Amino acid sequence: MYSQNQLKRMKATRCPVDELSYTNCAIVNPIDFPDNVQHIEVTTGPSQHYIFTIKRNGEVLNQAVAFSLPQRKWATLSLGQDIEVKPYFFNPSSSSECLCNMILEADFLQKKFATTEPYDTDEMAREFLLQFSGQAFTEGQLLVFKFLDKKILSLTVKSLEAADLSAIKAGKDPKPKKTKMGRCLGDTVVQFEKPESSPLNLTGKSKGKIVRPSLINPDFDFNKMGIGGLDKEFNAIFRRAFASRVFPPEIVEQLGCKHVKGILLYGPPGTGKTLMARQIGKMLNAREPKIVNGPQILDKYVGESEANVRRLFADAEEEEKRAGPNSGLHIIIFDEIDAICKARGSVGGNTGVHDTVVNQLLAKIDGVEQLNNILVIGMTNRRDMIDEALLRPGRFEVQMEISLPDEKGRLQILSIHSSRMYENKKIAQDVDLNELALLTKNFSGAEIEGLVRAAQSTAMNRLIKATSKVEVDPQAMEKLLIQREDFLHALENDIKPAFGASAEALEHCLSRGIIVWGTAVSSILTDGELLIKQTVAAESSGFVSVLLEGPPNSGKTALAAEIAKRSDFPFIKVCSPADMVGFSESAKCLTLRKIFDDAYRSQLSCILVDNIERLIDYGPIGPRYSNLMLQALLVLLKNEPPKGKKLLVLCTSSERQILKDLKILSAFTSVLHVPNLSEIDHVLSVLEQSDVFNKKELALVAQKLRNNQIFVGIKKLLALIDMVKQVEDDYKVVTFLTKLEEEGEDY
């Protein structure tokens, strides 16, 4: 019998057949070691000792030990190397040599034959014990594992735990303890892990803890995102698009869950769509995002536009084939996606380039060979232009409107853009961000940033001396301070919100102001205030449409503008036929539709549609009118705004009967009649407020008009007054009465 100290000098060689490599044993000639020797200790150098279980085969030369390639790699052996070998015997009473737990890291032996077919770890553990029970294993040892008829795996011994026999003998609760080497038993618990980058798809309960990189970048600070007023939208995107990706693939597989592959961010320009997409790319611990502008995809050469789309997805496809469910996340960001994803068939010409690009994108995101490792983020101001097939679940499934920020959001944006000034004490104490947030109704994020820049420019301009040459105050560093008046100046003169009140258009309509010449005017203004309250009331539908009708020149437009101004809504838009001169019918419809769409983006909106009969191209001879515009108006006047939005529509018309015949009168919530001046007191009230005539002249005018019938519009009357101002004093009364009589004859 061999003793443990009996050394032999032998040579390392390769296994005679591949099948012996799968045993993970050192192969020796039967005559070199007696039958009672099951394990050997191989010494390759000082402090380099390796324990191997042996098998005997006559094809191995005498005084040689055959090792597989993984064994030689682990023990740093070369073919023909001299080694010292001696028998190794496990101590039956030693607790440290009976393994109770083994953790093995598995991967494909040949990476080019990798596959995503599932490997059941429970079956792998049973097969491993059948093949290798009784063998010696050392931490760090490399193994080969032939599992059923699947691809051959390479195993690395990651961790070993041995049973504490002394605790068992003492009747105590045995706690496994770490060990460097031990013998696998029939009841050893075997678990399998895999490297992070491996495509190996492990399933079952015998799968060890797999360390995966966090989806969220650990260095990312949510407080420094620089996204103001979009907390709700960001949380909704995270819940829909990323919650499923945080969980391990096994749980997602158990749920039968598919990841969201597309996010569409839409909304007015400047509201932060591109910024949010950029921050999502930074937030995720994924591959470097590919950012592409929609028009860049298009190419004049046939087939190149589609090829550009395929190239964007090429990396994701390659990794999906190689790593399967363990593939990293690939992010593709499309800015101005409406440029390439217009509804198929809507683009003129016979090339069909847009259609084929849309088809290619549809196939890549969720086609027959669908990818599960991509996230496509699209941004657009025109969601209505995008092909419907892209908006279904499985493609751009999460559609998030990035709307205008509310007061709290505006305060956040102002804080973000003024933080540097506060840190460096370059902002005056009289600047109140809460006040500015209140004053910037319907400002987008970009417009608020522009407001801050404009205020900074105003403050810097104070320190510039423009003489014969431009000079900067030498003490500008110390003196520079952005003050409240700088922000107010920027609000008044520099930055106007695209979705704000049309102040200039309203002022133009109210150029002569409102003259309350009788109870009819005051009654209309009172009704207007009631209709404003009805619009904003919580229990109302949030949609009120009002028609101000009356004879021409009766002041309908001015009264409608005054009601709109009194509403103090953040969005007020004037739609006038004068702005659409030369437009085609379809262009008029699109302009009108855009005004209503813009109004829906604001919490409180008011639209003034002036002179409806001119807008629908009504002509009394015929009669003729634009049915397209009529139907558009009917639809828009009956279409309630989205939930949470309030809209007041004010329309004016001089043709009540025509609107009634066209069935448009019934579309209004309320109809207010604006009369002409028909009494002497009405005319005298206007003349008194104009200061054109003295008391004696007013008495003469009243005497002359006493027996005359009066019917004149306020606009015409004010025009007469302007004319009379140019006449000599002696002829004022005569001229006024003559012209007023002529106006009455016209009616």
Side-chain angles (χ1 to χ4, degrees):
M1 182 179 293
Y2 277 58
S3 69
Q4 292 188 26
N5 296 323
Q6 187 172 357
L7 288 174
K8 278 193 170 193
R9 294 196 63 82
M10 307 180 78
K11 287 188 179 294
T13 184
R14 60 164 54 93
C15 286
V17 291
D18 288 342
E19 288 299 321
L20 292 174
S21 299
Y22 303 145
T23 64
N24 292 303
C25 293
I27 313 301
V28 298
N29 191 288
I31 65 171
D32 284 333
F33 295 96
D35 293 342
N36 68 320
V37 177
Q38 299 298 321
H39 315 282
I40 57 173
E41 181 180 338
V42 177
T43 304
T44 60
S47 302
Q48 292 181 334
H49 308 283
Y50 303 92
I51 306 299
F52 291 96
T53 302
I54 61 171
K55 280 192 179 296
R56 295 162 175 80
N57 189 285
E59 295 185 28
V60 179
L61 296 175
N62 188 19
Q63 301 298 315
V65 182
F67 299 98
S68 65
L69 180 61
Q71 289 173 324
R72 297 200 300 273
K73 186 177 179 181
W74 170 55
T76 61
L77 288 166
S78 58
L79 294 175
Q81 179 179 340
D82 290 331
I83 52 175
E84 293 183 352
V85 182
K86 65 178 180 179
Y88 182 87
F89 297 95
F90 283 99
N91 185 355
S93 62
S94 173
S95 62
S96 63
E97 295 175 345
C98 297
L99 298 178
C100 60
N101 291 312
M102 290 181 68
I103 297 178
L104 304 169
E105 186 179 77
D107 199 359
F108 290 105
L109 183 64
Q110 293 180 303
K111 300 291 193 297
K112 62 180 179 179
F113 296 130
T115 176
T116 57
E117 65 174 319
Y119 279 67
D120 189 329
T121 53
D122 296 329
E123 290 186 17
M124 287 170 65
R126 285 193 290 272
E127 184 67 24
F128 185 88
L129 292 177
L130 284 173
Q131 292 186 29
F132 308 120
S133 181
Q135 287 190 203
F137 293 100
T138 307
E139 191 176 280
Q141 185 174 351
L142 300 180
L143 311 172
V144 180
F145 183 33
K146 191 174 183 181
F147 174 55
L148 305 179
D149 58 348
K150 296 180 181 290
K151 304 296 182 186
I152 300 171
L153 299 178
S154 168
L155 304 179
T156 304
V157 180
K158 298 294 290 183
S159 174
L160 299 174
E161 288 183 340
D164 189 351
L165 297 181
S166 59
I168 296 173
K169 291 177 182 177
K172 298 179 182 178
D173 184 21
K175 290 185 179 180
K177 54 185 180 181
K178 292 277 187 181
T179 183
K180 291 291 184 182
M181 191 271 293
R183 191 158 45 100
C184 178
L185 305 178
D187 58 354
T188 300
V189 176
V190 180
Q191 288 185 311
F192 294 90
E193 295 178 354
K194 64 170 193 135
E196 179 185 322
S197 59
S198 172
L200 182 62
N201 184 12
L202 296 179
T203 61
K205 297 179 181 178
S206 295
K207 183 168 55 173
K209 183 179 178 182
I210 299 175
V211 179
R212 292 185 178 85
S214 171
L215 178 69
I216 307 302
N217 192 333
D219 299 327
F220 189 78
D221 186 354
F222 283 90
N223 296 322
K224 295 181 180 178
M225 290 182 70
I227 300 178
L230 296 175
D231 296 347
K232 181 181 176 183
E233 290 83 353
F234 189 80
N235 289 335
I237 289 173
F238 190 88
R239 173 178 60 84
R240 290 294 313 280
F242 303 123
S244 64
R245 295 185 184 272
V246 172
F247 284 88
E250 312 84 65
I251 296 179
V252 176
E253 187 181 336
Q254 290 170 12
L255 294 173
C257 173
K258 288 185 178 179
H259 298 306
V260 166
K261 299 173 187 174
I263 303 172
L264 182 68
L265 305 177
Y266 66 95
T271 49
K273 301 182 294 296
T274 305
L275 175 62
M276 177 169 277
R278 199 181 298 130
Q279 294 295 357
I280 288 173
K282 290 181 183 177
M283 176 194 77
L284 298 178
N285 195 12
R287 305 292 183 270
E288 185 72 22
K290 294 180 180 178
I291 303 175
V292 58
N293 292 322
Q296 291 177 348
I297 294 292
L298 301 177
D299 197 289
K300 66 178 180 179
Y301 295 107
V302 176
E304 274 301 305
S305 299
E306 299 89 312
N308 289 338
V309 173
R310 289 194 294 272
R311 289 186 195 105
L312 290 174
F313 291 86
D315 293 342
E317 284 182 326
E318 185 274 329
E319 189 169 351
E320 174 85 5
K321 290 177 181 176
R322 177 169 49 83
N326 303 297
S327 170
L329 180 62
H330 293 253
I331 301 174
I332 302 171
I333 299 174
F334 281 98
D335 202 3
E336 305 299 339
I337 194 171
D338 53 280
I340 61 169
C341 293
K342 291 183 175 68
R344 285 168 289 182
S346 65
V347 181
N350 57 1
T351 59
V353 172
H354 282 86
D355 292 2
T356 54
V357 170
V358 174
N359 292 338
Q360 185 68 77
L361 197 58
L362 290 172
K364 286 297 177 188
I365 297 176
D366 190 31
V368 177
E369 294 182 359
Q370 61 180 4
L371 299 171
N372 207 33
N373 62 340
I374 56 165
L375 179 65
V376 182
I377 304 175
M379 293 163 289
T380 180
N381 303 326
R382 299 294 307 275
R383 178 176 174 269
D384 55 296
M385 293 178 65
I386 294 179
D387 193 275
E388 287 184 1
L390 275 166
L391 302 179
R392 72 154 174 80
R395 286 165 184 162
F396 285 104
E397 183 170 341
V398 178
Q399 297 161 34
M400 186 62 59
E401 181 178 8
I402 309 299
S403 55
L404 297 170
D406 56 12
E407 187 177 334
K408 181 183 175 184
R410 295 194 296 272
L411 179 60
Q412 287 181 0
I413 297 169
L414 283 164
S415 301
I416 289 167
H417 293 299
S418 61
S419 59
R420 190 72 63 86
M421 293 187 287
Y422 275 106
E423 288 173 10
N424 296 290
K425 298 181 180 178
K426 291 297 178 185
I427 195 163
Q429 292 183 349
D430 64 348
V431 176
D432 184 0
L433 296 185
N434 289 290
E435 179 193 18
L436 293 174
L438 191 63
L439 293 173
T440 50
K441 290 179 180 177
N442 274 30
F443 274 64
S444 67
E447 287 163 345
I448 292 173
E449 184 182 1
L451 176 71
V452 174
R453 283 201 302 268
Q456 292 167 341
S457 300
T458 305
M460 288 188 284
N461 191 58
R462 286 199 302 270
L463 301 173
I464 296 175
K465 299 174 184 177
T467 53
S468 57
K469 60 180 181 178
V470 177
E471 296 178 352
V472 178
D473 190 324
Q475 295 182 329
M477 287 286 291
E478 291 75 23
K479 291 182 179 179
L480 184 60
L481 204 65
I482 288 82
Q483 300 173 354
R484 177 176 178 269
E485 64 184 40
D486 298 324
F487 282 99
L488 297 181
H489 181 274
L491 272 171
E492 186 176 348
N493 301 291
D494 298 326
I495 306 296
K496 300 294 181 185
F499 297 93
S502 301
E504 292 181 5
L506 288 178
E507 290 302 323
H508 178 72
C509 296
L510 292 167
S511 57
R512 300 298 295 268
I514 295 294
I515 298 175
V516 183
W517 48 261
T519 55
V521 178
S522 57
S523 176
I524 289 170
L525 293 175
T526 302
D527 289 344
E529 291 184 356
L530 289 174
L531 291 164
I532 292 168
K533 291 179 181 177
Q534 180 184 342
T535 306
V536 299
E539 65 275 5
S540 73
S541 64
F543 180 66
V544 174
S545 55
V546 186
L547 176 67
L548 284 82
E549 60 82 22
N553 303 310
S554 59
K556 302 179 293 297
T557 302
L559 285 169
E562 179 65 17
I563 294 171
K565 190 174 180 181
R566 289 187 180 188
S567 73
D568 197 29
F569 286 176
F571 179 91
I572 301 175
K573 192 74 175 177
V574 178
C575 176
S576 170
D579 300 328
M580 301 188 195
V581 173
F583 281 23
S584 65
E585 282 186 288
S586 57
K588 285 183 180 180
C589 281
L590 288 173
T591 303
L592 189 64
R593 172 65 188 272
K594 186 178 185 303
I595 290 172
F596 275 80
D597 285 345
D598 290 347
Y600 296 151
R601 287 168 173 165
S602 175
Q603 295 293 115
L604 295 170
S605 307
C606 178
I607 299 174
L608 197 166
V609 183
D610 193 25
N611 218 339
I612 288 183
E613 63 272 16
R614 295 282 74 80
L615 204 61
I616 63 174
D617 295 333
Y618 169 75
I621 301 174
R624 295 180 301 175
Y625 63 91
S626 165
N627 187 55
L628 188 64
M629 280 300 294
L630 174 64
Q631 298 304 324
L633 268 171
L634 279 169
V635 169
L636 293 171
L637 287 173
K638 292 183 177 181
N639 184 36
E640 292 187 359
K643 186 178 179 181
K645 311 288 185 180
K646 308 285 186 179
L647 176 61
L648 171 64
V649 181
L650 301 168
C651 300
T652 68
S653 174
S654 303
E655 302 286 352
R656 177 189 175 113
Q657 186 58 44
I658 299 302
L659 298 187
K660 186 176 181 180
D661 293 342
L662 294 173
K663 307 296 183 185
I664 197 173
L665 199 64
S666 60
F668 292 98
T669 309
S670 181
V671 179
L672 304 178
H673 178 66
V674 183
N676 273 350
L677 287 79
S678 57
E679 297 180 12
I680 297 173
D681 292 342
H682 296 162
V683 176
L684 292 176
S685 175
V686 176
L687 293 177
E688 285 175 1
Q689 294 180 54
S690 64
D691 293 331
V692 175
F693 301 111
N694 57 35
K695 289 184 178 180
K696 185 178 178 181
E697 290 170 332
L698 284 172
L700 182 59
V701 170
Q703 183 184 352
K704 295 288 185 182
L705 291 176
R706 196 167 303 280
N707 297 320
N708 290 2
Q709 186 177 2
I710 300 169
F711 193 74
V712 64
I714 183 66
K715 191 174 180 181
K716 282 287 186 182
L717 184 58
L718 291 173
L720 287 178
I721 291 170
D722 289 341
M723 181 190 294
V724 170
K725 286 179 180 178
Q726 315 306 319
V727 179
E728 294 179 7
D729 292 347
D730 295 341
Y731 299 99
K732 280 184 178 179
V733 175
V734 175
T735 304
F736 176 74
L737 292 172
T738 303
K739 294 297 180 184
L740 186 62
E741 187 177 352
E742 291 175 0
E743 290 295 335
E745 290 174 357
D746 292 341
Y747 290 102

